């Protein structure tokens, strides 16, 4: 699997997991939503950073 395919697979996996966690917010008390959003923001930033590093090293 090439770097582009790995990046695409990571992006798809991240998107799927993010959608599942956001869909689960309906079952979580509203006051707990902030913690979920904060965790998702950190995870997404990490994934974007990894994808960005991968695209720069491919140059």
């Amino acid at each position: 699997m090439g770097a582009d395919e790995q990046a695409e697979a990571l992006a798809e996996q991240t998107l799927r997991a993010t959608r599942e966690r956001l869909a689960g917010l309906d079952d979580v008390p509203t006051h707990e939503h902030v913690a979920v959003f904060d965790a998702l923001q950190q995870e997404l930033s990490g994934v974007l950073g990894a994808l960005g590093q991968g695209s720069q090293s491919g140059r």
Side-chain angles (χ1 to χ4, degrees):
M1 182 182 293
D4 287 343
E5 287 133 354
Q6 287 178 337
E8 186 174 335
L10 176 59
E12 285 295 323
Q13 177 184 357
T14 302
L15 179 60
R16 187 173 30 258
T18 299
R19 285 180 174 160
E20 289 173 7
R21 289 180 70 183
L22 290 174
L25 286 177
D26 290 340
D27 301 326
V28 176
T30 305
H31 69 274
E32 294 179 17
H33 288 194
V34 173
V36 173
F37 289 137
D38 285 344
L40 283 172
Q41 190 275 330
Q42 288 181 338
E43 291 171 23
L44 292 172
S45 291
V47 169
L48 288 173
L51 290 173
Q53 287 179 355
S55 69
Q56 289 178 357
S57 66
R59 287 184 175 174

Short mmCIF file of all heavy atoms in Angstrom, two decimals:
data_model
loop_
_atom_site.label_atom_id
_atom_site.label_comp_id
_atom_site.label_asym_id
_atom_site.label_seq_id
_atom_site.Cartn_x
_atom_site.Cartn_y
_atom_site.Cartn_z
N MET A 1 0.86 -1.18 0.00
CA MET A 1 0.00 0.00 0.00
C MET A 1 0.90 1.23 0.00
O MET A 1 1.77 1.38 0.84
CB MET A 1 -0.91 -0.03 1.22
CG MET A 1 -1.88 1.13 1.29
SD MET A 1 -2.95 1.18 2.75
CE MET A 1 -3.99 -0.23 2.53
N GLY A 2 0.66 2.13 -0.94
CA GLY A 2 1.45 3.35 -1.05
C GLY A 2 1.06 4.39 -0.01
O GLY A 2 0.07 4.25 0.71
N ALA A 3 1.84 5.45 0.05
CA ALA A 3 1.60 6.51 1.03
C ALA A 3 0.25 7.18 0.81
O ALA A 3 -0.46 7.48 1.78
CB ALA A 3 2.71 7.55 0.96
N ASP A 4 -0.12 7.40 -0.46
CA ASP A 4 -1.41 8.03 -0.74
C ASP A 4 -2.57 7.14 -0.28
O ASP A 4 -3.54 7.63 0.29
CB ASP A 4 -1.57 8.33 -2.23
CG ASP A 4 -0.72 9.50 -2.68
OD1 ASP A 4 -0.27 10.28 -1.81
OD2 ASP A 4 -0.52 9.65 -3.89
N GLU A 5 -2.44 5.83 -0.52
CA GLU A 5 -3.49 4.91 -0.10
C GLU A 5 -3.58 4.82 1.41
O GLU A 5 -4.66 4.73 1.99
CB GLU A 5 -3.27 3.53 -0.71
CG GLU A 5 -3.58 3.50 -2.20
CD GLU A 5 -2.48 2.80 -2.97
OE1 GLU A 5 -1.44 2.44 -2.38
OE2 GLU A 5 -2.66 2.63 -4.18
N GLN A 6 -2.42 4.86 2.08
CA GLN A 6 -2.41 4.84 3.55
C GLN A 6 -3.07 6.09 4.10
O GLN A 6 -3.84 6.02 5.06
CB GLN A 6 -0.99 4.71 4.07
CG GLN A 6 -0.39 3.34 3.88
CD GLN A 6 1.05 3.26 4.38
OE1 GLN A 6 1.74 4.27 4.46
NE2 GLN A 6 1.49 2.06 4.68
N ALA A 7 -2.76 7.23 3.52
CA ALA A 7 -3.36 8.49 3.97
C ALA A 7 -4.86 8.47 3.76
O ALA A 7 -5.63 8.89 4.63
CB ALA A 7 -2.74 9.67 3.22
N GLU A 8 -5.29 7.95 2.62
CA GLU A 8 -6.73 7.88 2.34
C GLU A 8 -7.42 6.93 3.32
O GLU A 8 -8.50 7.23 3.82
CB GLU A 8 -6.96 7.41 0.91
CG GLU A 8 -8.41 7.46 0.51
CD GLU A 8 -8.64 7.14 -0.96
OE1 GLU A 8 -7.72 7.34 -1.78
OE2 GLU A 8 -9.76 6.69 -1.28
N ALA A 9 -6.80 5.80 3.61
CA ALA A 9 -7.38 4.85 4.56
C ALA A 9 -7.47 5.46 5.95
O ALA A 9 -8.50 5.30 6.64
CB ALA A 9 -6.55 3.57 4.59
N LEU A 10 -6.44 6.19 6.37
CA LEU A 10 -6.46 6.85 7.67
C LEU A 10 -7.56 7.90 7.73
O LEU A 10 -8.30 7.99 8.70
CB LEU A 10 -5.10 7.49 7.97
CG LEU A 10 -5.00 8.30 9.27
CD1 LEU A 10 -5.31 7.44 10.48
CD2 LEU A 10 -3.63 8.93 9.39
N ALA A 11 -7.70 8.67 6.67
CA ALA A 11 -8.73 9.70 6.61
C ALA A 11 -10.12 9.07 6.68
O ALA A 11 -11.00 9.55 7.42
CB ALA A 11 -8.58 10.53 5.35
N GLU A 12 -10.34 7.98 5.95
CA GLU A 12 -11.63 7.30 5.97
C GLU A 12 -11.94 6.72 7.34
O GLU A 12 -13.06 6.84 7.84
CB GLU A 12 -11.67 6.19 4.91
CG GLU A 12 -11.82 6.69 3.51
CD GLU A 12 -13.15 7.38 3.26
OE1 GLU A 12 -14.19 6.93 3.81
OE2 GLU A 12 -13.16 8.37 2.52
N GLN A 13 -10.95 6.10 7.96
CA GLN A 13 -11.13 5.52 9.29
C GLN A 13 -11.45 6.61 10.30
O GLN A 13 -12.34 6.46 11.15
CB GLN A 13 -9.88 4.77 9.70
CG GLN A 13 -9.92 4.18 11.08
CD GLN A 13 -8.61 3.52 11.47
OE1 GLN A 13 -7.67 3.44 10.69
NE2 GLN A 13 -8.53 3.03 12.68
N THR A 14 -10.74 7.72 10.22
CA THR A 14 -10.95 8.83 11.13
C THR A 14 -12.34 9.43 10.95
O THR A 14 -13.04 9.71 11.92
CB THR A 14 -9.88 9.92 10.93
OG1 THR A 14 -8.59 9.32 11.12
CG2 THR A 14 -10.06 11.08 11.88
N LEU A 15 -12.75 9.60 9.70
CA LEU A 15 -14.07 10.14 9.41
C LEU A 15 -15.16 9.23 9.96
O LEU A 15 -16.11 9.69 10.60
CB LEU A 15 -14.24 10.33 7.90
CG LEU A 15 -15.58 10.87 7.42
CD1 LEU A 15 -15.86 12.23 8.02
CD2 LEU A 15 -15.60 10.94 5.90
N ARG A 16 -15.02 7.94 9.73
CA ARG A 16 -16.01 6.98 10.20
C ARG A 16 -16.12 7.02 11.74
O ARG A 16 -17.21 7.09 12.30
CB ARG A 16 -15.65 5.58 9.71
CG ARG A 16 -16.66 4.52 9.98
CD ARG A 16 -16.36 3.16 9.33
NE ARG A 16 -14.95 2.85 9.14
CZ ARG A 16 -14.30 2.93 7.98
NH1 ARG A 16 -14.92 3.32 6.90
NH2 ARG A 16 -13.02 2.61 7.90
N ALA A 17 -14.98 6.98 12.42
CA ALA A 17 -14.97 7.00 13.88
C ALA A 17 -15.53 8.31 14.42
O ALA A 17 -16.26 8.31 15.41
CB ALA A 17 -13.55 6.78 14.39
N THR A 18 -15.20 9.42 13.77
CA THR A 18 -15.71 10.72 14.20
C THR A 18 -17.23 10.78 14.07
O THR A 18 -17.93 11.23 14.98
CB THR A 18 -15.06 11.85 13.39
OG1 THR A 18 -13.64 11.81 13.61
CG2 THR A 18 -15.60 13.21 13.79
N ARG A 19 -17.74 10.31 12.95
CA ARG A 19 -19.20 10.30 12.76
C ARG A 19 -19.90 9.44 13.81
O ARG A 19 -20.95 9.83 14.33
CB ARG A 19 -19.54 9.79 11.36
CG ARG A 19 -19.27 10.79 10.29
CD ARG A 19 -19.63 10.25 8.94
NE ARG A 19 -19.51 11.27 7.91
CZ ARG A 19 -19.38 11.01 6.64
NH1 ARG A 19 -19.36 9.76 6.20
NH2 ARG A 19 -19.28 11.99 5.77
N GLU A 20 -19.31 8.29 14.14
CA GLU A 20 -19.90 7.42 15.16
C GLU A 20 -19.93 8.11 16.52
O GLU A 20 -20.93 8.03 17.24
CB GLU A 20 -19.12 6.11 15.25
CG GLU A 20 -19.32 5.20 14.06
CD GLU A 20 -18.42 3.98 14.09
OE1 GLU A 20 -17.72 3.75 15.10
OE2 GLU A 20 -18.41 3.24 13.08
N ARG A 21 -18.83 8.77 16.86
CA ARG A 21 -18.79 9.45 18.16
C ARG A 21 -19.77 10.62 18.21
O ARG A 21 -20.41 10.84 19.24
CB ARG A 21 -17.37 9.92 18.47
CG ARG A 21 -16.49 8.71 18.79
CD ARG A 21 -15.10 9.08 19.09
NE ARG A 21 -14.98 9.77 20.36
CZ ARG A 21 -13.84 10.26 20.81
NH1 ARG A 21 -12.74 10.13 20.10
NH2 ARG A 21 -13.79 10.89 21.97
N LEU A 22 -19.89 11.35 17.12
CA LEU A 22 -20.84 12.46 17.10
C LEU A 22 -22.28 11.94 17.14
O LEU A 22 -23.13 12.53 17.81
CB LEU A 22 -20.62 13.33 15.87
CG LEU A 22 -19.33 14.16 15.88
CD1 LEU A 22 -19.16 14.88 14.54
CD2 LEU A 22 -19.34 15.16 17.03
N ALA A 23 -22.55 10.85 16.46
CA ALA A 23 -23.89 10.26 16.49
C ALA A 23 -24.23 9.79 17.90
O ALA A 23 -25.39 9.84 18.32
CB ALA A 23 -23.99 9.11 15.50
N GLY A 24 -23.23 9.35 18.65
CA GLY A 24 -23.45 8.89 20.01
C GLY A 24 -23.76 9.99 21.00
O GLY A 24 -24.16 9.71 22.13
N LEU A 25 -23.60 11.23 20.60
CA LEU A 25 -23.87 12.34 21.51
C LEU A 25 -25.34 12.41 21.91
O LEU A 25 -25.67 12.95 22.97
CB LEU A 25 -23.45 13.68 20.89
CG LEU A 25 -21.95 13.93 20.83
CD1 LEU A 25 -21.68 15.26 20.13
CD2 LEU A 25 -21.33 13.93 22.21
N ASP A 26 -26.22 11.84 21.09
CA ASP A 26 -27.64 11.84 21.44
C ASP A 26 -27.90 11.09 22.74
O ASP A 26 -28.87 11.38 23.45
CB ASP A 26 -28.47 11.21 20.32
CG ASP A 26 -28.53 12.06 19.08
OD1 ASP A 26 -28.27 13.29 19.18
OD2 ASP A 26 -28.84 11.52 18.00
N ASP A 27 -27.03 10.15 23.08
CA ASP A 27 -27.21 9.33 24.27
C ASP A 27 -26.40 9.83 25.47
O ASP A 27 -26.38 9.18 26.51
CB ASP A 27 -26.81 7.88 23.96
CG ASP A 27 -27.63 7.28 22.83
OD1 ASP A 27 -28.83 7.63 22.72
OD2 ASP A 27 -27.07 6.47 22.06
N VAL A 28 -25.73 10.96 25.29
CA VAL A 28 -24.85 11.50 26.33
C VAL A 28 -25.45 12.81 26.84
O VAL A 28 -25.94 13.62 26.06
CB VAL A 28 -23.43 11.76 25.74
CG1 VAL A 28 -22.53 12.40 26.75
CG2 VAL A 28 -22.84 10.47 25.22
N PRO A 29 -25.41 13.02 28.16
CA PRO A 29 -25.91 14.30 28.70
C PRO A 29 -25.18 15.48 28.05
O PRO A 29 -23.98 15.40 27.76
CB PRO A 29 -25.60 14.23 30.19
CG PRO A 29 -25.43 12.77 30.48
CD PRO A 29 -24.92 12.15 29.22
N THR A 30 -25.90 16.54 27.83
CA THR A 30 -25.36 17.71 27.14
C THR A 30 -24.08 18.24 27.79
O THR A 30 -23.15 18.62 27.08
CB THR A 30 -26.42 18.84 27.09
OG1 THR A 30 -27.59 18.31 26.49
CG2 THR A 30 -25.94 20.02 26.28
N HIS A 31 -24.00 18.21 29.09
CA HIS A 31 -22.82 18.74 29.76
C HIS A 31 -21.56 17.92 29.47
O HIS A 31 -20.45 18.38 29.70
CB HIS A 31 -23.04 18.88 31.27
CG HIS A 31 -23.15 17.58 32.00
ND1 HIS A 31 -24.34 16.90 32.12
CD2 HIS A 31 -22.21 16.85 32.64
CE1 HIS A 31 -24.13 15.79 32.80
NE2 HIS A 31 -22.85 15.72 33.13
N GLU A 32 -21.71 16.72 28.93
CA GLU A 32 -20.55 15.89 28.58
C GLU A 32 -20.11 16.07 27.13
O GLU A 32 -19.08 15.55 26.72
CB GLU A 32 -20.88 14.41 28.84
CG GLU A 32 -21.08 14.10 30.31
CD GLU A 32 -21.41 12.65 30.57
OE1 GLU A 32 -21.17 11.80 29.68
OE2 GLU A 32 -21.90 12.35 31.66
N HIS A 33 -20.87 16.83 26.35
CA HIS A 33 -20.54 17.04 24.94
C HIS A 33 -19.21 17.76 24.76
O HIS A 33 -18.45 17.44 23.83
CB HIS A 33 -21.65 17.83 24.25
CG HIS A 33 -22.91 17.06 24.04
ND1 HIS A 33 -23.90 17.49 23.19
CD2 HIS A 33 -23.36 15.89 24.57
CE1 HIS A 33 -24.90 16.62 23.20
NE2 HIS A 33 -24.59 15.64 24.04
N VAL A 34 -18.92 18.71 25.62
CA VAL A 34 -17.68 19.49 25.49
C VAL A 34 -16.46 18.57 25.53
O VAL A 34 -15.54 18.72 24.73
CB VAL A 34 -17.59 20.58 26.58
CG1 VAL A 34 -16.24 21.27 26.55
CG2 VAL A 34 -18.70 21.61 26.38
N ALA A 35 -16.46 17.61 26.44
CA ALA A 35 -15.33 16.69 26.55
C ALA A 35 -15.17 15.88 25.27
O ALA A 35 -14.05 15.65 24.81
CB ALA A 35 -15.51 15.77 27.75
N VAL A 36 -16.28 15.47 24.68
CA VAL A 36 -16.23 14.71 23.43
C VAL A 36 -15.68 15.59 22.31
O VAL A 36 -14.80 15.17 21.54
CB VAL A 36 -17.62 14.15 23.06
CG1 VAL A 36 -17.61 13.50 21.68
CG2 VAL A 36 -18.09 13.15 24.12
N PHE A 37 -16.18 16.81 22.22
CA PHE A 37 -15.70 17.74 21.18
C PHE A 37 -14.21 18.03 21.35
O PHE A 37 -13.46 18.08 20.38
CB PHE A 37 -16.48 19.04 21.17
CG PHE A 37 -17.89 18.90 20.67
CD1 PHE A 37 -18.94 19.54 21.33
CD2 PHE A 37 -18.19 18.15 19.55
CE1 PHE A 37 -20.24 19.43 20.86
CE2 PHE A 37 -19.49 18.03 19.07
CZ PHE A 37 -20.51 18.67 19.74
N ASP A 38 -13.77 18.24 22.59
CA ASP A 38 -12.36 18.50 22.85
C ASP A 38 -11.49 17.32 22.44
O ASP A 38 -10.45 17.49 21.80
CB ASP A 38 -12.12 18.83 24.33
CG ASP A 38 -12.58 20.21 24.71
OD1 ASP A 38 -12.81 21.05 23.81
OD2 ASP A 38 -12.71 20.46 25.93
N ALA A 39 -11.91 16.12 22.79
CA ALA A 39 -11.15 14.92 22.43
C ALA A 39 -11.10 14.75 20.91
O ALA A 39 -10.04 14.44 20.35
CB ALA A 39 -11.76 13.69 23.08
N LEU A 40 -12.22 14.96 20.25
CA LEU A 40 -12.26 14.85 18.79
C LEU A 40 -11.35 15.88 18.13
O LEU A 40 -10.65 15.58 17.17
CB LEU A 40 -13.68 15.00 18.27
CG LEU A 40 -14.58 13.78 18.43
CD1 LEU A 40 -16.02 14.13 18.06
CD2 LEU A 40 -14.09 12.62 17.59
N GLN A 41 -11.35 17.10 18.66
CA GLN A 41 -10.51 18.15 18.09
C GLN A 41 -9.05 17.77 18.20
O GLN A 41 -8.28 17.94 17.25
CB GLN A 41 -10.79 19.48 18.80
CG GLN A 41 -10.17 20.68 18.15
CD GLN A 41 -8.72 20.92 18.57
OE1 GLN A 41 -8.32 20.60 19.68
NE2 GLN A 41 -7.94 21.49 17.69
N GLN A 42 -8.65 17.22 19.33
CA GLN A 42 -7.25 16.81 19.51
C GLN A 42 -6.90 15.67 18.55
O GLN A 42 -5.83 15.67 17.94
CB GLN A 42 -7.00 16.38 20.95
CG GLN A 42 -6.97 17.55 21.91
CD GLN A 42 -6.69 17.11 23.34
OE1 GLN A 42 -6.89 15.95 23.70
NE2 GLN A 42 -6.22 18.04 24.15
N GLU A 43 -7.79 14.70 18.44
CA GLU A 43 -7.54 13.56 17.55
C GLU A 43 -7.46 14.01 16.10
O GLU A 43 -6.56 13.59 15.35
CB GLU A 43 -8.63 12.52 17.72
CG GLU A 43 -8.59 11.81 19.07
CD GLU A 43 -9.79 10.94 19.32
OE1 GLU A 43 -10.46 10.51 18.34
OE2 GLU A 43 -10.08 10.68 20.49
N LEU A 44 -8.39 14.86 15.69
CA LEU A 44 -8.40 15.33 14.30
C LEU A 44 -7.16 16.17 14.00
O LEU A 44 -6.58 16.05 12.92
CB LEU A 44 -9.68 16.12 14.01
CG LEU A 44 -10.97 15.30 14.00
CD1 LEU A 44 -12.19 16.23 13.90
CD2 LEU A 44 -10.97 14.29 12.87
N SER A 45 -6.75 16.98 14.94
CA SER A 45 -5.52 17.77 14.75
C SER A 45 -4.32 16.86 14.58
O SER A 45 -3.46 17.10 13.73
CB SER A 45 -5.29 18.71 15.94
OG SER A 45 -6.27 19.72 15.96
N GLY A 46 -4.27 15.80 15.38
CA GLY A 46 -3.17 14.85 15.27
C GLY A 46 -3.15 14.14 13.92
O GLY A 46 -2.10 13.98 13.30
N VAL A 47 -4.33 13.74 13.46
CA VAL A 47 -4.41 13.06 12.17
C VAL A 47 -4.04 14.01 11.04
O VAL A 47 -3.27 13.66 10.14
CB VAL A 47 -5.82 12.47 11.94
CG1 VAL A 47 -6.02 12.00 10.51
CG2 VAL A 47 -6.09 11.33 12.91
N LEU A 48 -4.54 15.23 11.10
CA LEU A 48 -4.20 16.20 10.06
C LEU A 48 -2.70 16.50 10.06
O LEU A 48 -2.09 16.64 9.01
CB LEU A 48 -5.00 17.49 10.25
CG LEU A 48 -6.48 17.40 9.90
CD1 LEU A 48 -7.20 18.69 10.29
CD2 LEU A 48 -6.68 17.09 8.43
N GLY A 49 -2.13 16.59 11.24
CA GLY A 49 -0.68 16.81 11.33
C GLY A 49 0.10 15.65 10.72
O GLY A 49 1.06 15.86 9.99
N ALA A 50 -0.34 14.44 11.00
CA ALA A 50 0.34 13.27 10.44
C ALA A 50 0.18 13.23 8.93
O ALA A 50 1.13 12.92 8.20
CB ALA A 50 -0.23 11.99 11.06
N LEU A 51 -1.01 13.55 8.44
CA LEU A 51 -1.22 13.56 7.00
C LEU A 51 -0.40 14.66 6.34
O LEU A 51 0.15 14.48 5.26
CB LEU A 51 -2.71 13.75 6.68
CG LEU A 51 -3.61 12.57 7.02
CD1 LEU A 51 -5.08 12.96 6.81
CD2 LEU A 51 -3.25 11.34 6.21
N GLY A 52 -0.29 15.81 7.01
CA GLY A 52 0.50 16.91 6.48
C GLY A 52 1.99 16.57 6.42
O GLY A 52 2.67 16.89 5.44
N GLN A 53 2.49 15.90 7.43
CA GLN A 53 3.89 15.48 7.44
C GLN A 53 4.14 14.46 6.35
O GLN A 53 5.18 14.49 5.71
CB GLN A 53 4.27 14.92 8.80
CG GLN A 53 4.40 15.95 9.87
CD GLN A 53 4.75 15.33 11.23
OE1 GLN A 53 4.82 14.12 11.37
NE2 GLN A 53 4.95 16.19 12.21
N GLY A 54 3.19 13.58 6.15
CA GLY A 54 3.33 12.56 5.12
C GLY A 54 3.38 13.16 3.72
O GLY A 54 4.17 12.74 2.87
N SER A 55 2.57 14.20 3.48
CA SER A 55 2.57 14.82 2.17
C SER A 55 3.84 15.64 1.94
O SER A 55 4.33 15.75 0.82
CB SER A 55 1.33 15.70 1.98
OG SER A 55 1.38 16.83 2.81
N GLN A 56 4.41 16.21 3.01
CA GLN A 56 5.65 16.97 2.87
C GLN A 56 6.85 16.06 2.64
O GLN A 56 7.76 16.40 1.91
CB GLN A 56 5.90 17.83 4.11
CG GLN A 56 4.93 18.98 4.22
CD GLN A 56 5.16 19.78 5.50
OE1 GLN A 56 5.99 19.46 6.32
NE2 GLN A 56 4.38 20.83 5.67
N SER A 57 6.83 14.89 3.27
CA SER A 57 7.98 13.99 3.09
C SER A 57 7.97 13.32 1.73
O SER A 57 8.98 12.83 1.27
CB SER A 57 8.00 12.93 4.19
OG SER A 57 6.88 12.07 4.07
N GLY A 58 6.80 13.33 1.06
CA GLY A 58 6.70 12.75 -0.27
C GLY A 58 7.18 13.66 -1.37
O GLY A 58 7.23 13.29 -2.52
N ARG A 59 7.57 14.87 -1.02
CA ARG A 59 8.02 15.85 -2.04
C ARG A 59 9.43 15.61 -2.44
O ARG A 59 10.29 15.19 -1.82
CB ARG A 59 7.89 17.28 -1.48
CG ARG A 59 6.46 17.69 -1.41
CD ARG A 59 6.39 19.13 -0.96
NE ARG A 59 4.99 19.55 -1.01
CZ ARG A 59 4.58 20.68 -0.58
NH1 ARG A 59 5.40 21.57 -0.09
NH2 ARG A 59 3.31 21.01 -0.64
#
